[in-house]
Amino acid sequence: PQEGYPPQALATAPAAPAAIAGGEVDPMAPSFVVPPTPTTSYAAPCRAQFTVQALGLHQHDAITISLESGPPGSSISTPITSNPGSTIFTWQPPPQQLQGAQQTQQACFQARDRTGLTRSKCIQVTVSGGVGCVQAPPQPLPQQQQMPQQPQPQIQQALKPPQPLPQKQQMAQQAAPQQQQVAQQAPQPPQPLPQQQQIAQPPQIQQGLPPQQQMAQQAGY
């Protein structure tokens, strides 16, 4: 510095806020909202899933939540950066672990506001397994059932065109009406009269007989 002038401080970019000495967090750092965020632990059968939410204390703040650490296979949904900010945590242990006893792991989350202040929160996550959590592999079918059943084809009864008759049958069909007409036109033989009518008719007298024989025929002799 020149003589007679006080020293000038060099302009530097503002450093990111750090935790206060002694492990305390800045009071203006985002705060986790309970609920929906679990307080210290969370337990569920087969699969764990819950919402993590944090609220910023600055005006026009925007909070982003991230997963600092978690059990293998755990994940969070795409964080919603707003105020409050939120995300969904999901963890499902592998089937080998679900067959045994319950699984307990720790998941830690961090909430960051637009000024860079952060706050972390860890939750003990317990997932209980059991028979209902693991789907049994499909059992092989008996040999008879393994054979694929052929679908029964649907028989469509189509209308078939009439088949032409043999020549002999055609001639017989054509001759049948003619025979019936001839039979109707042919004269029928005289039917015999009943016995009473036969008796009632007078006897016919043969011509050329003597008068005595003609009278005898008329008398019925």
Side-chain angles (χ1 to χ4, degrees):
Q2 296 180 358
E3 188 176 4
Y5 290 90
Q8 296 181 356
L10 298 177
T12 59
I20 301 175
E24 296 181 1
V25 181
D26 192 316
M28 294 299 294
S31 298
F32 286 91
V33 181
V34 179
T37 307
T39 306
T40 56
S41 62
Y42 179 87
C46 305
R47 182 170 180 259
Q49 187 176 65
F50 53 84
T51 299
V52 179
Q53 190 178 82
L55 180 67
L57 303 180
H58 296 88
Q59 188 177 8
H60 307 296
D61 221 339
I63 309 301
T64 302
I65 300 175
S66 59
L67 179 63
E68 287 186 328
S69 62
S74 62
S75 62
I76 60 172
S77 63
T78 302
I80 299 176
T81 301
S82 61
N83 194 22
S86 63
T87 186
I88 298 176
F89 171 81
T90 304
W91 176 46
Q92 183 172 1
Q96 296 81 1
Q97 296 181 4
L98 290 176
Q99 291 179 357
Q102 64 184 15
Q103 301 293 319
T104 301
Q105 297 285 344
Q106 180 175 264
C108 296
F109 307 90
Q110 184 187 78
R112 180 183 294 272
D113 66 6
R114 66 179 182 84
T115 66
L117 291 175
T118 61
R119 188 186 300 271
S120 297
K121 182 178 182 63
C122 295
I123 301 172
Q124 295 292 326
V125 183
T126 301
V127 176
S128 57
V131 180
C133 298
V134 181
Q135 295 182 357
Q139 299 295 329
L141 297 175
Q143 186 175 2
Q144 295 179 355
Q145 297 184 8
Q146 289 179 0
M147 297 177 62
Q149 296 182 357
Q150 297 294 336
Q152 297 295 333
Q154 296 181 356
I155 301 176
Q156 298 181 354
Q157 296 182 355
L159 296 176
K160 296 182 180 180
Q163 299 295 330
L165 296 174
Q167 187 175 4
K168 293 182 179 180
Q169 294 184 6
Q170 292 181 357
M171 294 176 63
Q173 290 182 356
Q174 294 176 0
Q178 297 178 0
Q179 293 177 359
Q180 292 179 0
Q181 293 178 1
V182 172
Q184 293 177 359
Q185 294 176 1
Q188 298 181 356
Q191 300 294 329
L193 296 175
Q195 187 176 3
Q196 295 179 357
Q197 294 183 6
Q198 291 179 1
I199 297 173
Q201 289 183 357
Q204 297 181 1
I205 301 173
Q206 297 181 3
Q207 299 296 329
L209 293 176
Q212 295 180 354
Q213 291 184 359
Q214 292 180 3
M215 292 177 65
Q217 286 185 355
Q218 290 179 359
Y221 294 105

